[in-house]
Amino acid sequence: MVVSSATIDNLLREREQYPVPDVFREHALVRDDRLWEGAERDPEGFWAAEAEKLHWIKHWDKVLEWNLPFAKWFVGGRLNVSENCLDRHLRSPRRNKVAIQWEGEPGERRSLTYHQLWREVNRFANVLKGLGVRRGDRVTIYMPMVPELPIAMLACSRIGAIHSVIFGGFSAQSIKDRVEDADSHVLVTADAGIRRGNLIPLKQTVDEALSGSEIVQHVIVYRRAGIDVPMYPGRDRWWHELAAVADRTCDPEPMLATDPLFILYTSGTTGRPKGIQHSTGGYLVGVATTSRYIFDLKDDDLFWCTADIGWVTGHSYLVYGPLANGASVFMYEGAPDWPQPDRWWSMIEENQITILYTAPTAIRAFMRSGEEFPKRHDLSSLRLLGTVGEPINPEAWRWYHRTIGGGRCPIVDTWWQTETGMILITPLPGSTMTKPGSATRTFPGVSAEVVDEHGRPVPVNKGGYLVITKPWPAMLQTIFKDPGRYNEVYWSKVPGTYFTGDGARTDEDGYFWLMGRIDDVINVAGHRIGTMEVESALVSHPKVAEAAVVGKPHPIKGQALVAYVVLKTGVARSSELSKELQRHVRAAIGAIAVPDDIFVTDKVPKTRSGKIMRRVIRALVSGQDIGDTTTLEDAGAVEEVRRWLKEVEGDRPSA
Ligand code: WTA
């Protein structure tokens, strides 16, 4: 590696430490290490004490039953999630407090108090019941970022139905796969979503997804955009018509803590998305506790988690965690730079948002558009900042701290996954000294280690695999209908521990530094995309014989996808082909999975056992050191890939 003065400078700056500002500590819920130390001594006792803060219809008999790899939290306990997020607050002064403050992209505003939200959820729960939805049934939700999305989720939880929310950017094919896997008979959608001033035709995509399939019997359509959409008689009903005639109250179903609350599909290393299944009690305890302590949630906060609810961050930190705490959340429908790159900052100023939780990719995009946009607004209402989704580069961290936080707000860099349900590695803003680029320490009651392939802890500052060594309450229960795959993917790589698939190191203070995915999952703009998934989409095109997809560094998205394709014999290369293949991937998965570059090649390099050498391709594409190649059966392979890359890239096609 060439060490330039810039590198040295960077290394020095990364040793920078940011102590907790005194004014912040003074009012923080957690001000020292006592909570952390107590939880370390007795994790189950810690979680049980936190669980007591929720409303239980029946108390649990046992905090944890751990039969590796299956954990049952709060065994025997009964509770209802919507009751905890709503009814509980109606019996308190929070009754008329704002639960959701919403802003549409065109500028409309709606605020729903806890009481109003409760009313909507009750009605919609009765709508679902009226269509025959019963406890344990799966309801698919494919909606834009409007309050009806959390209303639909909470309504499911009220009657014990399991929701499966699909991000509004996914294609018809992705919806079809997920509906089939979940065997879901009811789907909730909207006529269209609105983004960057354009209509996103959600209902049309749903129609395409469901054509020729008998699984979904009822489609409920919320009118968001007010456009004309075909309504299929017997199958499609308008939300507002059903809600208008639904009963006003619906008793919350007493669910077992171990009953599933939702499924959320996520990319893995194979072509098939995994239905990550989360529990009712453990999940709620996990997200309620982490929301409270990490975001230091107080009654006068307005908390804005910018994630779309289609991803886990929106589930846990826009909906369930904050509402379980009776917090006020802000929710925004549209694009960050619409109509101007200062949209976010103007909403923060207007609404006096106090806590902002976003992703490094967004921060980098704002850095690029320039300081003048945040500078136009008074951001002094902010008191705490958070990030999630990928490692944050120290430069972006410092920009966030200075330009958005005015140098006054602590930053919580929170590490977690769809599977973990809740944040596992993070600073506590009133007690943890932070270092730009490090997610710092485990949350109280959580145990993590960095190990080698034999499960042995690696020395300080040496890279290894991040594993979680004890069960935690919001951990996934299983992969829906596939416990074998659950065991294999997460609990068999380093026996006895949960395998995260992330590389990490710990420093001399025991702080964790995340180094990105070590498997074939690429983090594009904070969204996990399985290379295999994109490869199978590419080879499903009639002209493509084989495909290899890797990630390469991208200044804003963190990583971008690059695809290498081998065409079928007789197919001529053409300048239009890349575009055609990009369209094809968009239709198969969605815009987030479209490779930036597509190279046509005669072969893709493989190991002797026939596996595509993605790791080597990826490393060379990124201009990185290729690291340990001993697992490659053929050491000459590296050279071969190098030669191959030169050939391919010399031959750069139209993309
Ligand atoms: C990455 C998102 C570094 C990581 C909540 C993980 C991070 C994957 C961080 C999960 C962070 C998330 N620092 N990397 N603070 N947060 N990641 O399932 O690679 O969409 O495995 O969940 O994002 O992505 P997922």
Side-chain angles (χ1 to χ4, degrees):
M1 192 171 96
V2 187
V3 182
S4 66
S5 57
T7 321
I8 294 170
D9 184 43
N10 261 334
L11 291 173
L12 284 177
R13 273 145 150 297
E14 279 164 38
R15 301 228 173 88
E16 262 180 334
Q17 302 188 337
Y18 288 67
V20 177
D22 287 339
V23 280
F24 191 94
R25 188 191 304 264
E26 208 179 310
H27 301 285
L29 292 177
V30 182
R31 295 172 214 176
D32 53 39
D33 279 348
R34 276 177 299 177
L35 187 81
W36 197 90
E37 287 160 4
E40 168 101 337
R41 279 192 299 274
D42 177 14
E44 287 180 34
F46 168 74
W47 291 116
E50 293 301 324
E52 295 288 359
K53 297 175 184 168
L54 297 176
H55 174 74
W56 294 83
I57 299 165
K58 177 183 170 293
H59 200 272
W60 60 88
D61 306 316
K62 205 166 171 216
V63 177
L64 172 65
E65 210 175 279
W66 178 220
N67 289 314
L68 194 110
F70 298 101
K72 288 187 178 157
W73 283 88
F74 307 108
V75 184
R78 284 189 185 271
L79 77 169
N80 182 280
V81 167
S82 86
E83 184 180 36
N84 272 285
C85 291
L86 301 168
D87 306 54
R88 198 158 52 102
H89 308 311
L90 302 193
R91 304 187 283 261
S92 83
R94 291 176 179 147
R95 181 182 178 85
N96 294 315
K97 174 181 172 176
V98 170
I100 299 178
Q101 176 72 43
W102 177 83
E103 188 161 320
E105 196 189 67
E108 322 94 298
R109 288 181 188 169
R110 278 169 71 191
S111 58
L112 289 160
T113 63
Y114 272 96
H115 180 248
Q116 288 165 331
L117 184 60
W118 174 85
R119 244 176 24 206
E120 301 294 325
V121 168
N122 273 265
R123 273 188 197 278
F124 198 67
N126 283 325
V127 167
L128 292 174
K129 266 191 173 169
L131 295 177
V133 179
R134 295 290 172 262
R135 104 191 244 162
D137 290 350
R138 275 79 55 206
V139 173
T140 299
I141 305 179
Y142 182 68
M143 292 196 73
M145 283 287 284
V146 292
E148 280 65 22
L149 167 51
I151 289 168
M153 294 160 78
L154 288 160
C156 287
S157 79
R158 195 159 190 91
I159 62 173
I162 301 169
H163 59 69
S164 160
V165 179
I166 303 178
F167 171 60
F170 277 115
S171 68
Q173 184 61 45
S174 300
I175 300 172
K176 184 165 184 281
D177 295 344
R178 285 158 174 74
V179 161
E180 279 171 7
D181 188 80
D183 189 26
S184 165
H185 304 291
V186 173
L187 189 151
V188 187
T189 188
D191 52 354
I194 300 174
R195 201 168 164 93
R196 279 212 172 79
N198 296 315
L199 293 180
I200 313 292
L202 299 174
K203 173 63 165 57
Q204 189 187 317
T205 307
V206 165
D207 289 342
E208 207 182 305
L210 302 187
S211 83
S213 158
E214 300 285 295
I215 296 179
V216 172
Q217 282 146 22
H218 301 285
V219 176
I220 306 173
V221 188
Y222 174 70
R223 181 171 271 157
R224 161 64 186 127
I227 58 166
D228 259 352
V229 289
M231 296 290 280
Y232 295 95
R235 191 195 72 179
D236 301 352
R237 314 285 287 276
W238 287 107
W239 175 304
H240 59 269
E241 288 177 4
L242 293 171
V245 295
D247 280 347
R248 281 200 224 182
T249 56
C250 172
D251 286 338
E253 193 71 25
M255 304 304 289
L256 281 174
T258 49
D259 280 332
L261 176 65
F262 68 85
I263 308 170
L264 182 56
Y265 287 88
T266 191
S267 294
T269 49
T270 73
R272 216 157 30 102
K274 302 174 282 195
I276 303 300
Q277 180 182 316
H278 279 290
S279 73
T280 298
Y283 174 80
L284 194 65
V285 170
V287 297
T289 309
T290 47
S291 297
R292 182 161 57 244
Y293 293 135
I294 297 167
F295 300 110
D296 190 47
L297 278 181
K298 312 269 175 48
D299 264 320
D300 53 1
D301 277 313
L302 183 55
F303 176 63
W304 185 18
C305 164
T306 68
D308 192 289
I309 295 176
W311 309 110
V312 75
T313 306
H315 281 61
S316 298
Y317 297 106
L318 201 162
V319 183
Y320 293 118
L323 298 182
N325 282 290
S328 296
V329 301
F330 184 75
M331 178 175 178
Y332 169 57
E333 177 183 42
D337 53 355
W338 187 266
Q340 289 287 320
D342 69 341
R343 178 64 184 264
W344 278 21
W345 320 123
S346 90
M347 292 191 298
I348 288 172
E349 180 175 17
E350 288 273 313
N351 294 283
Q352 295 284 290
I353 289 164
T354 58
I355 306 167
L356 175 67
Y357 186 36
T358 191
T361 185
I363 299 167
R364 288 191 295 265
F366 287 123
M367 278 170 82
R368 185 152 93 166
S369 59
E371 295 210 342
E372 75 256 34
F373 294 103
K375 289 258 148 75
R376 278 183 204 166
H377 298 277
D378 175 7
L379 303 180
S380 62
S381 60
L382 288 173
R383 64 179 194 91
L384 176 61
L385 304 174
T387 88
V388 61
E390 56 179 310
I392 179 162
N393 41 314
E395 169 121 354
W397 195 104
R398 282 190 290 267
W399 186 88
Y400 195 31
H401 187 259
R402 185 185 65 239
T403 309
I404 307 306
R408 139 193 107 249
C409 307
I411 296 182
V412 287
D413 173 359
T414 64
W415 178 91
W416 60 298
Q417 308 177 302
T418 306
E419 292 86 342
T420 70
M422 65 184 228
I423 297 166
L424 295 188
I425 302 182
T426 177
L428 294 180
S431 72
T432 315
M433 187 230 306
T434 51
K435 305 182 190 183
S438 169
T440 76
R441 300 201 296 175
T442 50
F443 186 78
V446 173
S447 302
E449 263 176 27
V450 179
V451 300
D452 64 16
E453 63 274 26
H454 308 293
R456 286 183 301 237
V458 299
V460 162
N461 282 323
K462 191 150 170 17
Y465 305 124
L466 176 69
V467 296
I468 312 298
T469 54
K470 283 197 194 102
W472 64 99
M475 68 190 261
L476 72 167
Q477 294 187 295
T478 184
I479 294 177
F480 188 62
K481 291 195 302 204
D482 205 347
R485 192 177 174 201
Y486 164 71
N487 185 41
E488 195 217 302
V489 174
Y490 302 110
W491 298 93
S492 313
K493 305 266 162 49
V494 178
T497 69
Y498 170 83
F499 190 77
T500 66
D502 277 10
R505 68 177 166 92
T506 52
D507 69 13
E508 38 293 306
D509 295 324
Y511 277 32
F512 289 86
W513 295 77
L514 279 305
M515 309 193 313
R517 304 289 307 178
I518 43 120
D519 54 18
D520 293 323
V521 175
I522 298 173
N523 201 320
V524 180
H527 301 311
R528 272 163 63 176
I529 297 177
T531 48
M532 284 281 287
E533 225 174 312
V534 185
E535 286 164 7
S536 32
L538 284 165
V539 295
S540 73
H541 188 280
K543 291 184 183 162
V544 176
E546 225 173 2
V549 171
V550 296
K552 72 163 187 198
H554 184 279
I556 291 174
K557 296 194 269 191
Q559 294 269 296
L561 299 174
V562 184
Y564 296 92
V565 297
V566 179
L567 299 179
K568 287 199 179 139
T569 338
V571 175
R573 300 184 180 200
S574 75
S575 55
E576 269 305 294
L577 189 67
S578 300
K579 294 242 159 51
E580 189 178 324
L581 295 179
Q582 283 170 328
R583 274 198 301 275
H584 184 73
V585 174
R586 181 186 297 261
I589 309 176
I592 42 166
V594 175
D596 282 18
D597 297 303
I598 297 183
F599 297 101
V600 176
T601 167
D602 296 326
K603 58 165 200 258
V604 288
K606 292 186 185 168
T607 61
R608 273 191 213 143
S609 61
K611 289 205 183 85
I612 297 172
M613 293 191 286
R614 276 194 214 88
R615 190 162 65 87
V616 184
I617 304 175
R618 177 172 62 209
L620 292 176
V621 165
S622 319
Q624 276 167 10
D625 186 11
I626 40 166
D628 182 14
T629 52
T630 47
T631 55
L632 289 175
E633 284 157 45
D634 177 4
V638 177
E639 267 320 301
E640 194 193 313
V641 175
R642 245 192 256 278
R643 267 200 306 277
W644 171 78
L645 271 177
K646 243 189 222 140
E647 268 167 45
V648 179
E649 313 227 340
D651 198 17
R652 225 185 143 87
S654 60

PDB file of all heavy atoms in Angstrom, residues 126 470 478 530:
ATOM      1  N   ASN A 126     -60.690  -3.542  12.029  1.00  0.00           N
ATOM      2  CA  ASN A 126     -62.002  -4.129  11.735  1.00  0.00           C
ATOM      3  C   ASN A 126     -62.201  -4.371  10.233  1.00  0.00           C
ATOM      4  O   ASN A 126     -62.861  -5.326   9.837  1.00  0.00           O
ATOM      5  CB  ASN A 126     -63.117  -3.247  12.287  1.00  0.00           C
ATOM      6  CG  ASN A 126     -63.249  -3.419  13.797  1.00  0.00           C
ATOM      7  OD1 ASN A 126     -63.048  -4.524  14.317  1.00  0.00           O
ATOM      8  ND2 ASN A 126     -63.553  -2.339  14.511  1.00  0.00           N
ATOM      9  N   LYS A 470     -24.496 -13.811  22.491  1.00  0.00           N
ATOM     10  CA  LYS A 470     -25.635 -14.176  23.351  1.00  0.00           C
ATOM     11  C   LYS A 470     -26.917 -13.770  22.657  1.00  0.00           C
ATOM     12  O   LYS A 470     -26.924 -12.784  21.919  1.00  0.00           O
ATOM     13  CB  LYS A 470     -25.583 -13.383  24.656  1.00  0.00           C
ATOM     14  CG  LYS A 470     -24.596 -13.874  25.655  1.00  0.00           C
ATOM     15  CD  LYS A 470     -24.935 -13.289  27.036  1.00  0.00           C
ATOM     16  CE  LYS A 470     -23.784 -13.484  27.991  1.00  0.00           C
ATOM     17  NZ  LYS A 470     -23.002 -12.279  28.187  1.00  0.00           N
ATOM     18  N   THR A 478     -36.648 -16.903  13.114  1.00  0.00           N
ATOM     19  CA  THR A 478     -36.296 -17.899  12.104  1.00  0.00           C
ATOM     20  C   THR A 478     -36.417 -17.236  10.743  1.00  0.00           C
ATOM     21  O   THR A 478     -36.755 -16.054  10.647  1.00  0.00           O
ATOM     22  CB  THR A 478     -37.263 -19.114  12.196  1.00  0.00           C
ATOM     23  OG1 THR A 478     -36.858 -20.120  11.260  1.00  0.00           O
ATOM     24  CG2 THR A 478     -38.709 -18.726  11.894  1.00  0.00           C
ATOM     25  N   GLY A 530     -28.236  -8.759  -2.666  1.00  0.00           N
ATOM     26  CA  GLY A 530     -27.498 -10.006  -2.847  1.00  0.00           C
ATOM     27  C   GLY A 530     -27.023 -10.091  -4.290  1.00  0.00           C
ATOM     28  O   GLY A 530     -27.806  -9.932  -5.213  1.00  0.00           O
TER      29      GLY A 530
END
